Every structure is written in C-alpha cells, then in structure tokens.
Amino acid sequence: MIVNTYVAMVLASCAAYVAHAFSPPYSTIGTTQSNTARRLLHDPAVDLPEYDETCIPGPRWHCPKNMEICSQTGITLSRFMMETTRMNPELKEIESIFISLQTAVKAISNLVRTSSLKGNTGLEGGGGAINIQGEEQKKLDVMSNDVLKSALRWNGRLATIASEEEDAPVDAVLRDSRGNPVYSSDVVVDQEGRYVAVFDPLDGSSNIDAGIPVGTIFGIFERKDEECSLDFDNEEAERRCLQDTLQPGKNLVAAGYALYSSATSMVFTLGCGVNGFTLDEKIGEFVLTHENIKIPNRGKIYSFNEANRWDWDEPLQKYITDIQQGLGETKTKYSSRYIGSMVADVHRTLQYGGIFGYPADKKSPDGKLRLLYEAAPMSFLCEQAGGLAISGKNRILDIPPTNVHQRVPCILGSIDDVKELRRYYRASTDPNLAARCEARLKGRLTLIVNE
C-alpha cells in the first residue's frame, strides 16, 4: 500500500509534492500541501525521493538583469531595488525595508572596523551579560542588535522583529500616545507593517576580538492575517505575534547576509536568484559586484568543526572519512577550510562550491544553529543559488519552527555534494536518527542534552 501511494505520487503529483518539499519558498506561499505529500513527509515508513530540481517552477518575481552600468557608480543597491520594484510593484515595501537594512549594515560595518579603536571589544558589561541563548554577549552583539532594531522599527513596513539577542519578538510598529502607528515622531501612517523580519545581528561575534570576519544574517516573511500588537500582559496578543514569526523557511520572501571582512559585502535573494553587492566607501553605496551568483554543482572543500567529529551522526562521520581519502563519488580528496563564522564559511562556499555544516552531535542532537534566523535564511539563499540545504534527511526549508530560538542541524552547499551526503543519511538504519529527523518535520522539539 505504501509503495502504491509512493508510485502514484511520483507519477501523478510530482509538481504538487515538489512544490512543498523541494521547490524554492516562493512557490509555496499561499498554497496548500496535498494530502499525499503530507502523509509521505510524516510517515516514517516512507522514505523521501531524491531532490528533483527539474520540477522546480520559475521565480515568483522578475529581477533586473543586463542593466546599463554607470561608469562612475556601477549598479548600486538602491538602483537595483528601484528597478526591481518597477518590474514588481507589489515589492514596493520590500524596497523600503532594504533601504533600512543597507543603512544598518553600513553602521555595523563601521562599528566592527573601529571596535578596537573605540574600546568596543570584549564582553558586554565586562562579562556576565547573557542572551536568551545562554551565551555571553559581546559589546558589539548588543550594539549591532540596537542598530538593526532601530533601523527596521522606524521603517514603518514591518509588523514584528525577532532577533537572536531578544528574548521574544519585538513589536515593530511604533505608536503615539493614542496608540496610532507612527514611523517618525511627527508622521502618522494609516497602514501597519506587512512583513516580519528575523535576524542574527552579528554572527560569529565570538571571533570579533581576533579580527576574524563576522556577519549579519536576515530573513523577511510576509505577516499572517492576524493582527499583532505585542502586549506581554496579554497571552493571546503574544500568541498572535509568535504566529507571525514562527513560519517555515519555505515562506521566506527575502533573505541574505552582510559580511564584514576585507570589504563589506551584502548578498541576498528575493526569490529570483542571488546577487552580491560590495560597499564602495568612496561614494557610500553598495555596488553590484557579483550578479546572479551560482554555486558550483561540485566543490573540493568541506567546512566542518572536526573537533566534534566523533560525536557526529555516524553517516556524517563516514561521509567525511570517504571524501578525505578520495573514496567519495568523485574519487577526489577534499580539502578542509573552516573559519568558525557561518557567514564567512557560507560566503566562501557560494563562491568555490563544496559543503558547509554545523551538524548534530551527542551534546547537541538538534544542532547549534538557530532555525529561524540562521539556518532558514541561509538555506533559502543557498537553494536560490542552485545549491541544497538539509538537516540530515530533511530539507531545512520544510521544518516548521516551534519557538523563536529553536536550533537545528544545518548542512548546505553544492547540489551534488549535499545529495551525496544525504544518501549516507538515507542508508542509515539508526532508529534514533530517524526519530529526530521525523520529529523536526512534525514540529516537535527533541530533548537537548544538558551542557
């Protein structure tokens, strides 16, 4: 019976199933998953078929291409967004959000570059300041969070903001003394925000004092129909705001990252490919330098923290051993490159190909990266560049978050490399591994081992 259901789905429901399981997020917004696909995804007795990128539909929006280049300024991010809005009028509010985002990124870039000169390195409050993750906060964590939160709140296009550094979502609609929404001290607007922003303000901040590249990760969802006004004395109001925020990655409208390194880069997708911009400090603008980024189908680099190797899932241990020895599908020995800052590692992987991972281990069976504002945005970006992103057996963009700070294993990179690793996971007969993978798709949290 299970086989018959599976065959019928492959033959008659390829488009409907892949739209849920393997297509870019834009193809699933406002759609209903078929009963057949739902049973397959949640029935542990049925294994999922291989990714089939040939069934993925086209982009939801049109992005500008082959634009005329100004010899003095190039193609700026501001111009790119204006061209995008001209082609897609429904993205007018997204353009406004990106104006705020790029201003925040410029400010954070300056904070990072001058942190040692201005005494902004080290721990917040001299140590002892702990965020919701149980991690000690760096001074720049707090400052970057404030910069992003302020820039996005005053934008007037966002309903809710969720950050790694906040205990709970923040109401992004500022109001006057009468409760009317405002976006500045003297202007009242007649519409509340349509979108929800999630972000990690300073990824890799534990490396900041050593001058290692760090970054900002962001994602933008469309809010649901329910009105959200955060009043944490009102449990029902809090629930509605959480529902706005707790959406699977397949619902993302836009996602990207900023990299603060030898140059400041801003790489993002609107669901129609990936483009990279570099900050030209002479004119103070982000300029298009990496158009329509495509990750190579295969790479020769793996990027994992091998100090945890013997605590990983057995399929991952076998895969890494094989590619190190040249026993993988390509019969090529892979090289190891690991920075320890997700944005920097993913940026390199997008350019050169290969596979990056922050996997589950015995100490953290559900991984360490946050699903909502780290794994999901980066997975969306990677898939838009032609790569794949999984948690082991599952596609990350299909995993429904159960709380704002939920963690998840994250493995992403070149399509053929990730497919190869996934076959190791598919071959595993470990019942505990299968149970964890199934639990994530059902939106259940597994027990985190006490550190």
Side-chain angles (χ1 to χ4, degrees):
M1 179 178 177
I2 290 173
V3 174
N4 290 338
T5 302
Y6 172 73
V7 172
M9 182 279 297
V10 172
L11 295 177
S13 306
C14 175
Y17 172 60
V18 174
H20 169 78
F22 303 120
S23 67
Y26 45 76
S27 66
T28 63
I29 296 177
T31 64
T32 302
Q33 182 187 350
S34 70
N35 289 333
T36 302
R38 190 179 297 109
R39 285 197 303 272
L40 284 166
L41 284 172
H42 297 313
D43 187 344
V46 180
D47 202 3
L48 299 180
E50 283 293 328
Y51 290 101
D52 185 0
E53 62 274 16
T54 62
C55 289
I56 295 176
R60 182 181 180 187
W61 295 295
H62 299 287
C63 282
K65 295 179 181 178
N66 303 319
M67 292 185 290
E68 184 178 340
I69 301 175
C70 173
S71 60
Q72 298 300 316
T73 63
I75 298 172
T76 66
L77 176 54
S78 299
R79 178 187 161 194
F80 181 88
M81 292 306 301
M82 285 190 288
E83 295 275 2
T84 301
T85 301
R86 219 177 345 252
M87 299 171 71
N88 311 272
E90 64 272 31
L91 291 180
K92 184 66 178 175
E93 294 180 37
I94 292 291
E95 178 190 0
S96 178
I97 292 170
F98 267 80
I99 291 173
S100 297
L101 273 174
Q102 65 170 311
T103 300
V105 167
K106 292 173 189 175
I108 294 172
S109 174
N110 184 61
L111 287 172
V112 170
R113 287 189 298 104
T114 61
S115 59
S116 295
L117 295 173
K118 295 184 177 180
N120 290 330
T121 56
L123 298 173
E124 173 69 6
I130 307 295
N131 66 9
I132 187 63
Q133 315 299 328
E135 302 163 341
E136 279 200 297
Q137 289 179 305
K138 297 277 188 175
K139 292 178 182 177
L140 282 178
D141 281 325
V142 178
M143 297 170 74
S144 300
N145 186 64
D146 289 344
V147 167
L148 267 169
K149 191 168 64 173
S150 296
L152 293 173
R153 286 189 75 175
W154 287 107
N155 175 273
R157 304 300 184 186
L158 291 167
T160 312
I161 298 170
S163 165
E164 179 182 15
E165 304 302 328
E166 300 285 345
D167 292 3
V170 177
D171 188 355
V173 181
L174 297 178
R175 302 174 186 275
D176 62 18
S177 59
R178 297 181 179 179
N180 297 313
V182 302
Y183 65 84
S184 71
S185 59
D186 57 353
V187 180
V188 179
V189 297
D190 58 5
Q191 62 177 26
E192 295 187 6
R194 176 183 168 188
Y195 295 98
V196 174
V198 295
F199 57 82
D200 179 352
L202 201 62
D203 172 73
S205 59
S206 60
N207 295 321
I208 191 70
D209 296 354
I212 293 173
V214 293
T216 296
I217 304 171
F218 63 88
I220 300 170
F221 294 94
E222 195 164 11
R223 68 174 294 188
K224 297 184 178 180
D225 293 334
E226 294 180 282
E227 182 180 351
C228 168
S229 177
L230 277 175
D231 174 5
F232 288 111
D233 292 329
N234 184 328
E235 291 186 4
E236 179 60 22
E238 181 179 352
R239 184 196 66 80
R240 289 198 299 269
C241 290
L242 283 171
Q243 286 303 109
D244 269 350
T245 308
L246 298 180
Q247 301 185 50
K250 65 186 180 183
N251 289 355
L252 278 162
V253 176
Y257 63 80
L259 174 66
Y260 312 112
S261 183
S262 56
T264 298
S265 302
M266 195 167 172
V267 180
F268 65 88
T269 178
L270 297 170
C272 50
V274 178
N275 291 285
F277 294 76
T278 303
L279 181 61
D280 184 342
E281 296 186 2
K282 289 184 178 179
I283 63 173
E285 290 279 358
F286 280 97
V287 178
L288 180 63
T289 51
H290 297 76
E291 184 176 8
N292 194 26
I293 296 172
K294 292 295 182 185
I295 185 172
N297 289 341
R298 276 279 187 190
K300 297 180 181 179
I301 298 171
Y302 69 93
S303 183
F304 292 79
N305 182 358
E306 292 189 77
N308 300 322
R309 179 183 188 131
W310 306 116
D311 291 329
W312 292 340
D313 295 330
E314 185 178 356
L316 180 58
Q317 292 182 30
K318 290 180 178 178
Y319 169 76
I320 294 297
T321 299
D322 283 352
I323 63 174
Q324 284 178 327
Q325 298 178 348
L327 300 177
E329 292 178 356
T330 64
K331 306 304 179 186
T332 300
K333 290 184 179 181
Y334 279 45
S335 299
S336 174
R337 300 285 186 275
Y338 184 72
I339 298 171
S341 171
M342 185 186 190
V343 170
D345 281 313
V346 170
H347 188 71
R348 182 198 58 248
T349 302
L350 282 176
Q351 302 294 316
Y352 304 146
I355 187 167
F356 161 82
Y358 210 131
D361 56 38
K362 292 177 182 177
K363 190 161 114 175
S364 303
D366 274 320
K368 295 279 283 188
L369 295 179
R370 270 62 60 155
L371 171 61
L372 193 63
Y373 41 82
E374 291 176 321
M378 287 301 212
S379 297
F380 183 28
L381 188 83
C382 181
E383 291 197 6
Q384 284 294 312
L388 291 176
I390 60 175
S391 63
K393 291 186 177 183
N394 307 140
R395 180 175 181 252
I396 288 175
L397 296 181
D398 286 329
I399 299 174
T402 56
N403 69 68
V404 174
H405 303 293
Q406 177 182 343
R407 298 175 190 261
V408 68
C410 180
I411 300 167
L412 57 82
S414 296
I415 184 169
D416 291 338
D417 287 316
V418 178
K419 278 184 174 181
E420 181 180 354
L421 172 58
R422 186 168 182 261
R423 283 190 274 275
Y424 283 73
Y425 272 92
R426 284 163 56 89
S428 173
T429 58
D430 182 350
N432 292 326
L433 174 58
R436 279 190 278 123
C437 291
E438 178 67 13
R440 292 188 195 105
L441 279 182
K442 288 186 174 179
R444 299 198 310 263
L445 279 177
T446 56
L447 210 51
I448 300 295
V449 176
N450 229 340
E451 296 188 15

